[in-house]
């Protein structure tokens, strides 16, 4: 039995060509079939990944401002010298360690997490804050949409610099 994955789970009725270019139906492709499929489908199929191109997420600060207004502004401000609300003022967040905004009472978990805020860390954090920093007092459930998180981060980069 071949150590390679079978095509049958992806394309149950796929036809392969053997070395003599004769059409045949099989769930066990030959080496030529495997190499040809890598060229056509890319290496992801052999790793069990979906057969789709990754989508580039274009960030929109304008859309991010709307997201901030509806989901974040109840608890956060972004202006330099802005007041803390239920959550801290976010001005200067990029490149700052978590739990370090002056005059805000952070949870011990947030102070001790050692996270340096950047696009990548915020992207993961905004998905599910309570899972990212266990013990945080932030009650926000998170933003499931990757596009919305990217847009929010684009807005925060502009408005908190």
């Amino acid at each position: 039995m071949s150590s390679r994955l079978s095509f049958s789970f992806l394309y149950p009725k796929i036809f392969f060509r053997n070395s003599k270019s004769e059409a045949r139906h099989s769930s066990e492709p030959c080496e030529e079939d495997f190499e040809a499929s890598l060229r056509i489908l890319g290496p992801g199929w052999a790793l069990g990944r979906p057969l789709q191109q990754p989508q580039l997420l274009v960030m929109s600060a304008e859309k991010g401002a709307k997201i901030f207004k509806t989901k974040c502004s109840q608890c956060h401000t972004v202006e330099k010298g802005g007041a803390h609300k239920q959550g801290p003022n976010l001005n200067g967040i990029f490149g700052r360690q978590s739990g370090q905004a002056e005059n805000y009472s952070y949870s011990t978990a947030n102070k001790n997490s050692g996270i340096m805020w950047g696009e990548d860390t915020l992207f993961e954090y905004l998905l599910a804050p309570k899972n990212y920093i266990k013990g945080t007092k932030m009650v926000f459930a998170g933003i499931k949409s990757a596009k919305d998180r990217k847009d929010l981060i684009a807005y925060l980069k502009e408005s908190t610099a």
Side-chain angles (χ1 to χ4, degrees), residues 58-68 147 150-159:
V58 178
M59 298 190 291
S60 168
E62 185 178 315
K63 289 179 182 175
K66 291 176 184 174
I67 295 166
F68 184 84
K147 174 81 171 105
K150 286 285 190 182
D151 290 343
L152 178 57
I153 290 167
Y155 169 72
L156 290 174
K157 282 195 73 121
E158 282 185 8
S159 63

Side-chain angles (χ1 to χ4, degrees), residues 7-20:
F7 288 97
S8 60
F9 72 99
L10 294 174
Y11 298 104
K13 295 182 180 178
I14 193 166
F15 283 88
F16 302 101
R17 301 215 177 264
N18 63 19
S19 60
K20 297 177 184 176

